[in-house]
Amino acid sequence: IYELPQFANMSAPAKAILGGWQVSTIYTGTTGNPLSIGQGCSNQWACRADYVGGNLLAADGVTFGPARVGGHQDVQYVNPAAFAKVEEVGGVAIRSGNAANGLVRGPGVFNVDFSLSKKFAITEGASLQIRADAFNFLNHVNLGSLNGNVENGDFGTLDAAQSMRNMQVGARITF
């Protein structure tokens, strides 16, 4: 929390309006979580897909571009050509694939929250605080929810995003 400076040469009404403001921010930045690439199977750990070579991520970390899937826009994140389904007999994979668990890392998260508040003295023992908060202040899109099943038509796409800025205003009386 940072309290904005108060100017000594201001008049009393100007100090009441312009003085006593506080700002605060919270920054969150993380790398992506490890993801597993597999195929439809009852035992997730035994049903890994095969890594056949090439770039793991779409265009070396740059997405191939949006693809229309399921009525909404998804982003191609994993290169589908780098993976193949392990052969099955009777619906069961003949062996576990060579794509290690966590071979691919998901996209990271970047978020900034911002708050602005001011405290007003009502009486000697009571005060009023007004506050405005903005969550995801920069309105940055954080992608997630990878479709990691090589058998799906939208394999390798990220089909969820948290991007909407949320704001709230509040007041609190302390006595």
Side-chain angles (χ1 to χ4, degrees), residues 58-59 61-78 80 141 143 153-161:
V62 178
T63 60
F64 284 133
R68 285 269 185 215
V69 178
H72 62 282
Q73 198 170 37
D74 293 343
V75 175
Q76 190 71 44
Y77 183 72
V78 172
V141 176
L143 299 171
D154 58 348
F155 163 65
T157 60
L158 297 170
D159 59 3

Side-chain angles (χ1 to χ4, degrees), residues 15-38:
K15 275 186 184 180
I17 294 170
L18 300 176
W21 287 95
Q22 293 180 329
V23 294
S24 62
T25 187
I26 298 173
Y27 164 75
T28 305
T30 63
T31 60
N33 293 327
L35 306 170
S36 295
I37 306 298

Side-chain angles (χ1 to χ4, degrees), residues 93-136:
I94 60 171
R95 61 177 172 75
S96 186
N98 66 6
N101 290 321
L103 178 64
V104 175
R105 280 207 168 263
V109 173
F110 171 83
N111 188 53
V112 176
D113 297 335
F114 180 78
S115 295
L116 177 67
S117 64
K118 178 163 174 54
K119 198 175 208 180
F120 298 93
I122 298 173
T123 64
E124 188 175 310
S127 63
L128 169 70
Q129 180 191 45
I130 59 168
R131 180 181 189 99
D133 300 309
F135 306 101
N136 194 7

